[in-house]
Amino acid sequence: MAIRFASLGSGSKGNGTLVASGDHCLLVDCGFTIKETERRMARLGLSPAELSAILVTHEHSDHMAGVGPLARKYQLPVYLTPGTLRARDFGALPSVHLIEGHQPFTVGHIQVTPVAVPHDAREAAQFVFRSRGSCLGLLTDLGTITPHVESHYGDCDALVLEANHDPMMLAQGPYPPSLKRRVGGAYGHLSNQQAAGFLQRVGSQRLQHLVVAHISEKNNSLELARTALAEAAAQAANCIFACQQEGFDWLQIQKAE
């Protein structure tokens, strides 16, 4: 079976993405309590007991607050970079697998390629997943699209891409100046326009699914994100927008004939 994927929620109040192929299911990040994670997974027809592993992108609490408690309750292995492990106290973890040098690794029959990204974290990584001829890219929580990043996402069949903020809304919004500089800076988050530019460069015609994610509830709107990405995303077969409360339901990559 090719890759399928879903989201527990996407935004500054908590993140979690499920990536499954065959009998294996990975949870990328967990920014929710155990109870909330169980509830959100049940909505998608799964229990944490069915997970093969947890992968962590970086140490910000909306991505890792629930990792330690969930891993301990369900005895799950955790994959993360050494910098992420050192940056926060995860507590005792049942099994730790360090991502060294951002080299690819395999969980079951899912190949995972970590991609170093510029973000205001110790050693942040995003991921590209491959299984049985299908490829999924997750790309959120970065302030700049570097050539290194771009080179890893050109052959994806599905993509979860951050469009965090509208620059004008951010500038005029309620955040203090220091936080505005952080969010809009080279190590912050992608704007709608940066996401659109990335899609134009790598192309969207191959994408079966494009999910626009990590949309700020204070510095963006669905209307602005849709407008900014409309032309760049036009060739994707299916384009949806993830939300904080519901994330998005299962999407299946269809294997090429």
Side-chain angles (χ1 to χ4, degrees):
M1 181 180 293
I3 291 173
R4 64 184 186 126
F5 60 106
S7 171
L8 307 185
S10 179
S12 60
K13 296 177 182 176
N15 295 274
T17 305
L18 295 167
V19 179
S21 179
D23 296 331
H24 298 280
C25 185
L26 311 177
L27 174 61
V28 183
D29 291 334
C30 183
F32 306 103
T33 64
I34 291 177
K35 183 177 180 180
E36 186 65 12
T37 301
E38 291 170 337
R39 185 188 73 80
R40 290 178 183 238
M41 286 190 66
R43 179 179 64 81
L44 295 165
L46 280 180
S47 161
E50 299 175 79
L51 292 172
S52 302
I54 304 174
L55 280 59
V56 186
T57 60
H58 64 292
E59 70 269 18
H60 292 165
S61 60
D62 57 323
H63 293 263
M64 59 68 63
V67 169
L70 193 73
R72 285 187 285 275
K73 179 174 180 179
Y74 289 95
Q75 292 297 294
L76 298 170
V78 177
Y79 291 75
L80 72 179
T81 64
T84 298
L85 181 63
R86 291 193 297 266
R88 290 290 289 269
D89 182 7
F90 287 82
L93 296 173
S95 177
V96 175
H97 297 262
L98 292 179
I99 297 168
E100 298 285 4
H102 291 80
Q103 293 299 306
F105 59 92
T106 301
V107 181
H109 48 254
I110 304 175
Q111 183 191 67
V112 185
T113 300
V115 182
V117 297
H119 193 48
D120 55 350
R122 184 74 65 85
E123 193 180 0
Q126 291 296 311
F127 299 105
V128 175
F129 302 89
R130 291 180 173 84
S131 180
R132 300 181 180 181
S134 59
C135 179
L136 164 68
L138 300 186
L139 188 59
T140 69
D141 295 84
L142 73 166
T144 308
I145 300 288
T146 64
H148 172 76
V149 169
E150 203 163 292
S151 69
H152 281 82
Y153 288 85
D155 61 348
C156 293
D157 302 299
L159 176 65
V160 179
L161 176 65
E162 172 175 83
N164 175 257
H165 62 276
D166 171 77
M168 187 64 69
M169 279 191 71
L170 177 64
Q172 298 176 350
Y175 284 3
S178 60
L179 185 53
K180 290 179 181 181
R181 288 192 296 270
R182 174 189 163 199
V183 171
Y187 293 87
H189 291 271
L190 295 183
S191 68
N192 296 337
Q193 290 72 21
Q194 286 174 296
F198 168 74
L199 283 175
Q200 288 172 338
R201 291 190 299 276
V202 301
S204 61
Q205 62 273 14
R206 177 169 175 163
L207 294 177
Q208 297 178 25
H209 303 288
L210 170 64
V211 180
V212 183
H214 218 303
I215 301 170
S216 173
E217 295 180 307
K218 293 185 178 180
N219 302 306
N220 208 354
S221 71
L222 285 177
E223 180 181 0
L224 287 170
R226 283 194 181 101
T227 300
L229 275 75
E231 183 178 353
Q235 292 182 300
N238 178 39
C239 180
I240 67 171
F241 291 76
C243 70
Q244 179 68 82
Q245 293 304 316
E246 299 295 333
F248 57 88
D249 208 342
W250 288 106
L251 297 172
Q252 175 77 54
I253 297 175
Q254 300 299 319
K255 294 179 67 174
E257 296 297 332

